[in-house]
Amino acid sequence: MFEQNGFFLIEDEATRLRLVRESAKNHATATLWTTGKAVVLRTSICHFDIAHGTFHAELPSGFPLEKVLSIVSARSGIFFNVELSDTRLFFQATFHHFEQGRQVLEFKLPIEAYKVQQRKHPRISTRNSRTIRAFHEDPLQPGRSIQRRVLDLSAGGLSVKLFFGEERHYRVGQKFESLQVHLGGRIIMCWALVRNIRVSPLEGDKTELVMGLEFLNMDGAGQKAISNLVDQEMIKQFGKLVSKREKETD
């Protein structure tokens, strides 16, 4: 199965159609956006029609007509991030029909779709970010905090880089009563639980030492801020993937 940056191409047509049909049957929540994110819309997928090769996306009540027209004009430059119970489904769809007065947009069924990792909380790589950092209490010096490079992030937890030799100061099941997650200018406070300490491979023969932390007692606002950041980054990464695939097939 083709994979790039955590996106797995669904090569089997029957599986792809089944997932779109499941999305429509369950009125799955989705984020729709146009090239350059000129329009971003939270919607629901509905009305899968295999005979006509279409599906519908619902419009919120009172959604501005000028934004509808922006979506219509984008035609093929329209992307979906669909939230299924056990995965996320990403695809590009071509606009097909809009009838003024109806609260739906009709699209052609996608000819390519991607799944992302099947986790309770979608996770993104943050190892190249300069603005996302974590601080936890020093187990050897009470009152002192240690800054960590965050390797990946989700609404449920994160992984940080350790230096080899530090693992003797930490253990699975250990709790930090003060964890700070810095998202640019925003600081989110919570507790954390050490879920794993592992050696992960890098390119070539290199490895790195990683500590996985699960968030505890994080408030709803903090979880939402991280979820929004994860969604934005996934949208950005999928846009890059589509652009690369289009260049390869030109």
Side-chain angles (χ1 to χ4, degrees), residues 33-240:
W33 73 98
T34 58
T35 302
K37 293 191 286 189
V39 178
V40 179
L41 168 66
R42 290 288 284 174
T43 182
S44 295
I45 304 301
C46 62
H47 193 65
F48 174 90
D49 187 338
I50 189 64
H52 292 90
T54 60
F55 71 94
H56 290 174
E58 297 178 339
L59 288 172
S61 178
F63 191 72
L65 180 59
E66 62 269 20
K67 288 193 174 184
V68 173
L69 296 178
S70 295
I71 296 172
V72 171
S73 64
R75 298 200 66 79
S76 60
I78 303 166
F79 307 91
F80 287 82
N81 168 8
V82 185
E83 301 169 20
L84 295 172
S85 59
D86 59 354
T87 190
R88 295 288 186 99
L89 186 66
F90 283 78
F91 56 79
Q92 183 176 9
T94 300
F95 172 77
H96 185 245
H97 180 70
F98 169 67
E99 182 179 328
Q100 192 167 347
R102 295 185 63 204
Q103 291 300 110
V104 295
L105 296 170
E106 187 173 84
F107 296 90
K108 299 297 288 184
L109 292 173
I111 58 174
E112 271 193 357
Y114 295 79
K115 294 198 305 183
V116 297
Q117 68 256 79
Q118 296 187 17
R119 298 174 179 267
K120 181 179 179 181
H121 300 290
R123 184 179 298 266
I124 57 168
S125 172
T126 55
R127 64 172 59 248
N128 296 321
S129 173
R130 298 182 179 180
T131 60
I132 299 176
R133 290 290 183 270
F135 294 79
H136 68 75
E137 59 209 45
D138 187 338
L140 302 180
Q141 298 185 40
R144 178 177 179 268
S145 291
I146 299 177
Q147 177 177 323
R148 295 293 183 190
R149 180 183 178 188
V150 179
L151 302 177
D152 58 50
L153 175 68
S154 78
L158 52 76
S159 294
V160 298
K161 180 180 176 64
L162 297 181
F163 294 102
F164 283 99
E166 284 189 294
E167 66 273 16
R168 64 182 181 272
H169 304 308
Y170 303 96
R171 57 178 175 79
V172 174
Q174 182 176 353
K175 285 186 179 180
F176 296 121
E177 296 185 4
S178 176
L179 177 74
Q180 293 185 15
V181 183
H182 290 226
L183 307 178
R186 180 165 188 162
I187 300 175
I188 298 171
M189 306 283 293
C190 65
W191 287 31
L193 177 71
V194 178
R195 277 297 185 187
N196 56 71
I197 299 171
R198 62 193 188 276
V199 176
S200 293
L202 295 173
E203 291 184 6
D205 297 329
K206 295 182 179 180
T207 59
E208 65 182 348
L209 187 61
V210 179
M211 179 166 65
L213 301 176
E214 178 185 353
F215 297 140
L216 301 176
N217 301 330
M218 179 177 287
D219 62 26
Q223 282 196 326
K224 184 175 181 181
I226 294 175
S227 292
N228 287 342
L229 185 148
V230 169
D231 280 349
Q232 290 169 12
E233 183 60 26
M234 291 177 75
I235 284 172
K236 185 187 303 182
Q237 290 300 320
F238 182 66
K240 290 179 180 178

